[in-house]
Amino acid sequence: MKSLASLIRLHKWRLEEKRRALASLQGLRADLTRQAVELEAEVGREQQTAKAGEGGWTYAGYARAVIQRRENIQRSIAEVEKRIELARDEVNAAWRETRKYELAEERNQIRERAELARVERLELDEIALTQNRLKQSQG
């Protein structure tokens, strides 16, 4: 069944596209998490610098900016998490759809093999009957 094989290829392609999109979102989440970690490290360095008396007067403005950046990163991470969940649902749905067609193809192949075996049995039975008739007519 060529049409079923084409449907399987199409659904596998769609599944891979959805998996790539999910991987991209997971990469984005990892990048945002890395940015958050780097921001915290930067804050630690700035605090040490401010404690040492170097530019302590500018730390308040820096802290406000860091708080805003931290909030933005956390908001972005939360949004990406939601998108990841949706993408996972899409991947699961695409996998189920692909699997449905693969199972149909497997059932078709089983039916075809059973039919071939049945035809072969009939042919062998016919050969055996013919040989039996020949023996009986000669004997």
Side-chain angles (χ1 to χ4, degrees):
M1 295 209 155
K2 289 185 179 184
S3 62
L4 197 52
S6 297
L7 279 173
I8 291 171
R9 272 195 316 278
L10 173 66
H11 284 280
K12 280 184 177 182
W13 180 81
R14 287 181 181 167
L15 175 59
E16 287 307 313
E17 284 295 309
K18 301 223 182 271
R19 284 180 176 160
R20 278 191 282 278
L22 175 59
S24 175
L25 288 170
Q26 290 171 331
L28 180 57
R29 178 183 56 191
D31 186 49
L32 289 168
T33 303
R34 180 191 50 76
Q35 287 178 20
V37 168
E38 288 175 356
L39 181 62
E40 293 306 317
E42 180 183 318
V43 167
R45 287 190 302 272
E46 289 297 322
Q47 286 174 345
Q48 291 301 321
T49 303
K51 285 180 186 177
E54 302 170 16
W57 52 274
T58 61
Y59 184 76
Y62 170 78
R64 281 190 297 275
V66 165
I67 290 170
Q68 183 63 44
R69 280 179 61 198
R70 186 181 295 144
E71 288 173 359
N72 288 343
I73 290 172
Q74 292 305 320
R75 215 173 317 144
S76 294
I77 289 173
E79 180 183 324
V80 168
E81 286 289 340
K82 289 177 188 175
R83 290 172 55 195
I84 285 173
E85 284 306 311
L86 290 173
R88 280 187 182 135
D89 291 343
E90 290 177 2
V91 166
N92 288 334
W95 181 84
R96 282 191 303 276
E97 190 71 16
T98 301
R99 190 68 186 135
K100 179 174 64 175
Y101 289 107
E102 288 173 340
L103 289 173
E105 176 67 15
E106 288 172 16
R107 283 190 304 270
N108 284 344
Q109 290 175 356
I110 289 170
R111 262 187 255 124
E112 287 174 4
R113 283 193 299 268
E115 178 62 20
L116 286 174
R118 186 185 73 77
V119 167
E120 185 177 335
R121 263 192 328 273
L122 288 174
E123 289 173 355
L124 290 174
D125 288 349
E126 185 63 35
I127 291 171
L129 284 172
T130 304
Q131 287 177 346
N132 192 23
R133 284 186 205 131
L134 284 174
K135 280 184 185 178
Q136 287 178 355
S137 67
Q138 291 175 353

